[in-house]
Amino acid sequence: ALTADMQAGKVDTLVIVDANPVYSAPADLAFGDKMAKVPLRIRLGLYEDETSELCHWHLPATHTLETWGDVRAFDGTVTIQQPLIAPLYQGKSPLELLAAFVGKPGKTAHAILRGHWKTLHPEAFDTWFTRSLHDGVVADSASAPAEVELLQAPPQPADRAPAPAFGTLEILFRPDPTIWDGTYANNSWLQELPKPLSKLTWDNAALISPAAAQKLGLANEQVVTLTVDGRTVDAPVWLQPGMPDGVVTVHLGYGRSRGGSVLAGCGFNANALRSSGKLWSATGVTVEKTGASYALASTQHHHS
Protein backbone atom coordinates (compact mmCIF):
# COMPACT_ATOMS: atom_id res chain seq x y z
CA ALA A 1 0.00 0.00 0.00
CA LEU A 2 2.83 2.40 0.84
CA THR A 3 4.69 1.80 -2.41
CA ALA A 4 1.46 2.26 -4.37
CA ASP A 5 0.80 5.59 -2.61
CA MET A 6 4.36 6.76 -3.23
CA GLN A 7 4.06 5.82 -6.90
CA ALA A 8 0.80 7.80 -7.14
CA GLY A 9 2.31 10.89 -5.50
CA LYS A 10 0.10 10.65 -2.41
CA VAL A 11 2.98 10.80 0.10
CA ASP A 12 4.60 14.20 0.71
CA THR A 13 6.65 13.27 3.80
CA LEU A 14 8.06 9.84 4.61
CA VAL A 15 9.66 9.16 8.00
CA ILE A 16 11.44 5.81 8.30
CA VAL A 17 12.27 4.74 11.86
CA ASP A 18 14.88 2.03 12.40
CA ALA A 19 14.18 0.15 9.17
CA ASN A 20 16.03 -0.34 5.89
CA PRO A 21 13.36 -1.06 3.25
CA VAL A 22 15.52 0.00 0.29
CA TYR A 23 17.67 -3.05 1.08
CA SER A 24 15.19 -5.49 2.60
CA ALA A 25 11.83 -4.86 0.89
CA PRO A 26 10.66 -7.49 -1.63
CA ALA A 27 12.34 -6.97 -4.98
CA ASP A 28 9.06 -6.64 -6.92
CA LEU A 29 8.07 -3.54 -4.92
CA ALA A 30 11.02 -1.48 -6.24
CA PHE A 31 10.87 0.47 -2.97
CA GLY A 32 13.83 2.73 -3.69
CA ASP A 33 12.54 3.83 -7.09
CA LYS A 34 9.10 4.68 -5.72
CA MET A 35 10.47 6.36 -2.60
CA ALA A 36 12.32 8.79 -4.89
CA LYS A 37 8.91 10.33 -5.77
CA VAL A 38 8.39 11.53 -2.18
CA PRO A 39 9.33 15.24 -1.77
CA LEU A 40 10.66 14.90 1.79
CA ARG A 41 12.32 11.73 3.07
CA ILE A 42 13.67 11.40 6.64
CA ARG A 43 15.46 8.41 8.15
CA LEU A 44 16.23 7.68 11.81
CA GLY A 45 18.81 4.92 12.17
CA LEU A 46 22.05 3.75 13.77
CA TYR A 47 23.91 3.70 10.43
CA GLU A 48 23.85 5.64 7.19
CA ASP A 49 22.72 2.69 5.10
CA GLU A 50 21.05 1.96 1.77
CA THR A 51 17.83 3.75 2.80
CA SER A 52 19.65 6.75 4.27
CA GLU A 53 21.46 7.21 0.95
CA LEU A 54 18.13 8.00 -0.74
CA CYS A 55 16.80 10.25 2.04
CA HIS A 56 17.17 14.01 2.42
CA TRP A 57 17.85 13.74 6.14
CA HIS A 58 19.60 11.01 8.14
CA LEU A 59 19.12 11.38 11.90
CA PRO A 60 21.44 9.44 14.23
CA ALA A 61 19.41 7.04 16.37
CA THR A 62 20.19 6.18 19.94
CA HIS A 63 21.11 2.59 20.61
CA THR A 64 18.73 0.58 22.80
CA LEU A 65 21.26 0.85 25.62
CA GLU A 66 21.42 4.66 25.32
CA THR A 67 17.84 5.73 25.85
CA TRP A 68 14.77 5.53 28.05
CA GLY A 69 11.59 3.78 26.96
CA ASP A 70 9.16 1.06 27.87
CA VAL A 71 8.45 -2.37 26.42
CA ARG A 72 5.70 -4.92 26.80
CA ALA A 73 6.19 -8.69 27.12
CA PHE A 74 4.04 -11.28 25.36
CA ASP A 75 1.72 -11.54 28.36
CA GLY A 76 1.30 -7.76 28.58
CA THR A 77 3.75 -7.13 31.41
CA VAL A 78 5.50 -3.75 31.05
CA THR A 79 9.10 -3.00 31.96
CA ILE A 80 10.83 0.36 31.98
CA GLN A 81 13.79 0.49 29.59
CA GLN A 82 16.74 2.20 31.28
CA PRO A 83 19.89 3.45 29.52
CA LEU A 84 23.27 2.09 30.56
CA ILE A 85 25.26 4.97 29.04
CA ALA A 86 24.63 8.48 27.72
CA PRO A 87 24.26 8.73 23.91
CA LEU A 88 27.72 8.65 22.30
CA TYR A 89 26.76 10.49 19.11
CA GLN A 90 23.99 12.87 20.24
CA GLY A 91 21.44 10.40 18.90
CA LYS A 92 17.68 10.71 19.10
CA SER A 93 15.20 8.04 20.12
CA PRO A 94 11.96 7.31 18.22
CA LEU A 95 10.08 8.95 21.12
CA GLU A 96 12.06 12.17 20.73
CA LEU A 97 11.62 12.18 16.94
CA LEU A 98 7.85 11.71 17.17
CA ALA A 99 7.64 14.38 19.90
CA ALA A 100 9.10 16.89 17.45
CA PHE A 101 6.32 16.06 14.99
CA VAL A 102 3.61 16.79 17.56
CA GLY A 103 5.02 20.17 18.56
CA LYS A 104 7.26 19.15 21.45
CA PRO A 105 10.80 19.44 20.05
CA GLY A 106 13.69 19.07 22.47
CA LYS A 107 11.77 16.98 24.96
CA THR A 108 13.89 14.08 26.18
CA ALA A 109 12.86 10.44 26.12
CA HIS A 110 13.12 10.41 29.92
CA ALA A 111 10.67 13.31 30.24
CA ILE A 112 8.30 11.78 27.68
CA LEU A 113 8.35 8.45 29.48
CA ARG A 114 7.73 9.95 32.91
CA GLY A 115 5.00 12.20 31.55
CA HIS A 116 3.13 9.27 30.06
CA TRP A 117 3.24 7.11 33.17
CA LYS A 118 2.44 10.02 35.46
CA THR A 119 -0.93 10.38 33.73
CA LEU A 120 -1.65 6.74 34.62
CA HIS A 121 -0.26 6.88 38.18
CA PRO A 122 -0.64 10.49 39.34
CA GLU A 123 -0.61 9.74 43.07
CA ALA A 124 2.83 9.28 44.65
CA PHE A 125 4.27 8.99 41.16
CA ASP A 126 7.94 9.28 42.16
CA THR A 127 7.55 6.38 44.60
CA TRP A 128 5.74 4.29 41.96
CA PHE A 129 8.36 5.04 39.32
CA THR A 130 11.27 4.22 41.63
CA ARG A 131 9.61 0.94 42.64
CA SER A 132 9.02 -0.01 39.00
CA LEU A 133 12.67 0.63 38.18
CA HIS A 134 13.80 -1.36 41.20
CA ASP A 135 11.53 -4.34 40.54
CA GLY A 136 12.19 -4.39 36.79
CA VAL A 137 8.50 -4.71 35.93
CA VAL A 138 5.42 -2.52 36.32
CA ALA A 139 3.18 -4.12 38.93
CA ASP A 140 -0.20 -5.48 37.77
CA SER A 141 0.49 -4.63 34.11
CA ALA A 142 -0.01 -8.13 32.70
CA SER A 143 -3.06 -8.72 30.53
CA ALA A 144 -5.97 -10.69 31.93
CA PRO A 145 -6.03 -14.31 30.73
CA ALA A 146 -8.37 -14.82 27.81
CA GLU A 147 -11.15 -17.38 27.95
CA VAL A 148 -10.72 -19.77 25.05
CA GLU A 149 -12.52 -22.87 23.85
CA LEU A 150 -10.59 -25.57 22.05
CA LEU A 151 -12.27 -26.67 18.86
CA GLN A 152 -11.61 -29.70 16.68
CA ALA A 153 -8.92 -28.97 14.10
CA PRO A 154 -10.40 -28.30 10.65
CA PRO A 155 -9.69 -30.93 7.99
CA GLN A 156 -6.67 -30.25 5.80
CA PRO A 157 -7.55 -29.13 2.26
CA ALA A 158 -7.29 -31.83 -0.35
CA ASP A 159 -5.35 -29.59 -2.74
CA ARG A 160 -2.30 -29.05 -0.56
CA ALA A 161 0.82 -28.57 -2.60
CA PRO A 162 2.85 -31.81 -2.75
CA ALA A 163 6.43 -31.90 -1.57
CA PRO A 164 8.83 -30.96 -4.39
CA ALA A 165 10.01 -33.95 -6.36
CA PHE A 166 13.72 -34.67 -6.55
CA GLY A 167 15.02 -32.63 -9.47
CA THR A 168 12.49 -29.84 -8.91
CA LEU A 169 14.13 -27.29 -6.65
CA GLU A 170 12.46 -25.09 -4.07
CA ILE A 171 14.28 -22.11 -2.52
CA LEU A 172 13.88 -21.14 1.12
CA PHE A 173 14.71 -17.67 2.49
CA ARG A 174 15.76 -17.51 6.13
CA PRO A 175 17.16 -14.83 8.48
CA ASP A 176 20.85 -15.37 9.11
CA PRO A 177 21.65 -17.07 12.44
CA THR A 178 24.11 -14.33 13.48
CA ILE A 179 23.37 -11.08 11.63
CA TRP A 180 19.62 -11.70 11.24
CA ASP A 181 18.13 -9.58 8.40
CA GLY A 182 21.31 -7.51 8.05
CA THR A 183 20.62 -5.30 11.06
CA TYR A 184 23.80 -6.60 12.70
CA ALA A 185 25.90 -6.96 9.56
CA ASN A 186 28.42 -4.34 10.72
CA ASN A 187 29.22 -6.25 13.93
CA SER A 188 32.54 -8.01 13.30
CA TRP A 189 32.11 -10.32 16.31
CA LEU A 190 28.87 -11.66 14.86
CA GLN A 191 30.40 -11.94 11.38
CA GLU A 192 33.22 -14.00 12.88
CA LEU A 193 30.84 -16.24 14.82
CA PRO A 194 30.43 -19.58 12.96
CA LYS A 195 26.93 -20.41 11.77
CA PRO A 196 25.31 -23.48 13.31
CA LEU A 197 25.98 -26.68 11.31
CA SER A 198 27.64 -25.08 8.28
CA LYS A 199 30.24 -23.26 10.44
CA LEU A 200 30.51 -20.55 7.76
CA THR A 201 31.77 -17.10 8.74
CA TRP A 202 31.64 -13.72 7.00
CA ASP A 203 29.46 -14.96 4.11
CA ASN A 204 26.20 -16.56 3.16
CA ALA A 205 25.90 -19.34 0.59
CA ALA A 206 23.42 -21.43 -1.36
CA LEU A 207 23.06 -24.44 0.93
CA ILE A 208 22.26 -27.69 -0.87
CA SER A 209 22.32 -31.38 0.04
CA PRO A 210 25.26 -33.56 -1.09
CA ALA A 211 22.90 -35.78 -3.14
CA ALA A 212 21.36 -32.81 -4.95
CA ALA A 213 24.81 -31.33 -5.56
CA GLN A 214 25.99 -34.60 -7.07
CA LYS A 215 22.96 -34.75 -9.35
CA LEU A 216 23.56 -31.16 -10.48
CA GLY A 217 27.32 -31.60 -10.75
CA LEU A 218 28.07 -29.01 -8.08
CA ALA A 219 30.91 -28.76 -5.56
CA ASN A 220 31.68 -26.56 -2.60
CA GLU A 221 32.54 -22.94 -3.45
CA GLN A 222 31.37 -23.13 -7.07
CA VAL A 223 29.45 -19.96 -7.98
CA VAL A 224 26.01 -20.51 -9.50
CA THR A 225 23.30 -18.21 -10.80
CA LEU A 226 20.02 -18.69 -8.92
CA THR A 227 16.94 -17.64 -10.89
CA VAL A 228 13.47 -17.18 -9.40
CA ASP A 229 10.66 -15.73 -11.54
CA GLY A 230 13.17 -13.99 -13.79
CA ARG A 231 15.18 -12.46 -10.93
CA THR A 232 18.78 -13.63 -10.58
CA VAL A 233 21.62 -13.54 -8.08
CA ASP A 234 25.04 -15.22 -8.06
CA ALA A 235 25.89 -17.29 -4.99
CA PRO A 236 28.58 -19.76 -3.93
CA VAL A 237 27.48 -23.32 -3.22
CA TRP A 238 27.94 -25.01 0.14
CA LEU A 239 27.11 -28.70 0.61
CA GLN A 240 25.12 -29.19 3.78
CA PRO A 241 24.42 -32.72 5.09
CA GLY A 242 20.87 -33.04 6.39
CA MET A 243 19.34 -30.69 3.82
CA PRO A 244 16.32 -32.03 1.88
CA ASP A 245 17.34 -33.02 -1.62
CA GLY A 246 14.87 -30.73 -3.38
CA VAL A 247 15.68 -27.55 -1.47
CA VAL A 248 18.16 -24.69 -1.74
CA THR A 249 18.38 -22.47 1.34
CA VAL A 250 19.78 -18.92 1.29
CA HIS A 251 20.15 -16.58 4.24
CA LEU A 252 19.26 -12.90 4.34
CA GLY A 253 21.33 -10.03 5.70
CA TYR A 254 24.30 -10.07 3.32
CA GLY A 255 25.18 -8.20 0.14
CA ARG A 256 24.92 -4.83 1.90
CA SER A 257 26.25 -1.77 0.04
CA ARG A 258 26.16 0.80 2.87
CA GLY A 259 26.00 0.82 6.65
CA GLY A 260 29.59 0.47 7.85
CA SER A 261 33.04 -0.75 6.89
CA VAL A 262 32.76 -4.25 8.38
CA LEU A 263 29.90 -5.41 6.14
CA ALA A 264 31.54 -4.32 2.87
CA GLY A 265 32.05 -7.19 0.43
CA CYS A 266 30.33 -9.81 2.57
CA GLY A 267 28.05 -12.24 0.75
CA PHE A 268 25.19 -11.72 -1.71
CA ASN A 269 21.79 -10.08 -1.33
CA ALA A 270 19.16 -12.83 -1.25
CA ASN A 271 16.43 -10.16 -1.05
CA ALA A 272 16.90 -9.68 -4.80
CA LEU A 273 15.10 -13.02 -5.29
CA ARG A 274 12.17 -12.40 -2.93
CA SER A 275 8.79 -11.12 -4.03
CA SER A 276 5.92 -9.84 -1.92
CA GLY A 277 3.93 -13.00 -2.65
CA LYS A 278 6.84 -15.37 -1.99
CA LEU A 279 8.65 -13.94 1.02
CA TRP A 280 9.90 -17.19 2.55
CA SER A 281 9.88 -19.78 -0.21
CA ALA A 282 9.46 -20.18 -3.94
CA THR A 283 9.34 -23.10 -6.33
CA GLY A 284 10.81 -23.45 -9.78
CA VAL A 285 14.25 -22.10 -8.91
CA THR A 286 16.92 -22.84 -11.48
CA VAL A 287 20.62 -23.30 -10.75
CA GLU A 288 23.18 -22.58 -13.46
CA LYS A 289 26.97 -22.81 -13.17
CA THR A 290 28.93 -19.65 -13.87
CA GLY A 291 32.36 -21.28 -14.10
CA ALA A 292 33.64 -19.10 -11.26
CA SER A 293 34.52 -20.04 -7.69
CA TYR A 294 34.46 -18.15 -4.39
CA ALA A 295 36.47 -19.04 -1.28
CA LEU A 296 34.30 -19.53 1.80
CA ALA A 297 35.61 -19.57 5.37
CA SER A 298 34.41 -22.44 7.52
CA THR A 299 35.78 -23.19 10.96
CA GLN A 300 35.01 -26.90 10.84
CA HIS A 301 34.10 -29.33 8.06
CA HIS A 302 31.72 -32.22 8.37
CA HIS A 303 33.26 -35.65 8.49
CA SER A 304 32.90 -37.62 5.30
Side-chain angles (χ1 to χ4, degrees), residues 80-285:
I80 304 298
Q81 172 188 329
Q82 303 178 60
L84 296 182
I85 58 173
L88 294 176
Y89 303 107
Q90 299 180 355
K92 299 297 180 182
S93 71
L95 290 179
E96 292 164 337
L97 174 64
L98 296 176
F101 276 90
V102 295
K104 298 179 181 179
K107 199 168 185 180
T108 65
H110 182 251
I112 297 169
L113 176 76
R114 285 177 58 89
H116 166 73
W117 285 104
K118 192 170 185 177
T119 61
L120 302 178
H121 300 274
E123 297 182 5
F125 171 73
D126 288 335
T127 301
W128 176 91
F129 192 74
T130 301
R131 171 57 62 183
S132 297
L133 294 179
H134 173 273
D135 294 348
V137 295
V138 174
D140 302 321
S141 58
S143 302
E147 297 293 334
V148 298
E149 180 182 357
L150 297 179
L151 303 177
Q152 185 176 359
Q156 296 293 337
D159 57 349
R160 292 184 67 188
F166 189 64
T168 301
L169 289 178
E170 178 180 3
I171 190 167
L172 299 181
F173 304 100
R174 293 294 181 265
D176 186 80
T178 60
I179 66 168
W180 198 237
D181 61 351
T183 299
Y184 309 108
N186 204 50
N187 187 319
S188 55
W189 287 354
L190 292 178
Q191 290 280 14
E192 189 71 14
L193 182 65
K195 317 295 182 189
L197 302 181
S198 73
K199 302 299 180 181
L200 291 175
T201 63
W202 290 97
D203 276 295
N204 56 347
L207 304 180
I208 192 169
S209 73
Q214 183 178 17
K215 186 178 182 67
L216 296 171
L218 300 177
N220 268 349
E221 301 182 337
Q222 283 186 325
V223 177
V224 297
T225 298
L226 302 174
T227 303
V228 180
D229 296 334
R231 292 180 291 273
T232 64
V233 73
D234 289 346
V237 168
W238 189 256
L239 275 60
Q240 182 60 59
M243 286 279 296
D245 291 334
V247 170
V248 177
T249 296
V250 293
H251 287 97
L252 309 175
Y254 284 90
R256 299 282 307 279
S257 61
R258 287 177 66 93
S261 58
V262 169
L263 56 79
C266 295
F268 62 92
N269 185 5
N271 290 301
L273 298 176
R274 302 171 84 201
S275 65
S276 51
K278 301 176 181 178
L279 282 176
W280 299 109
S281 66
T283 56
V285 58

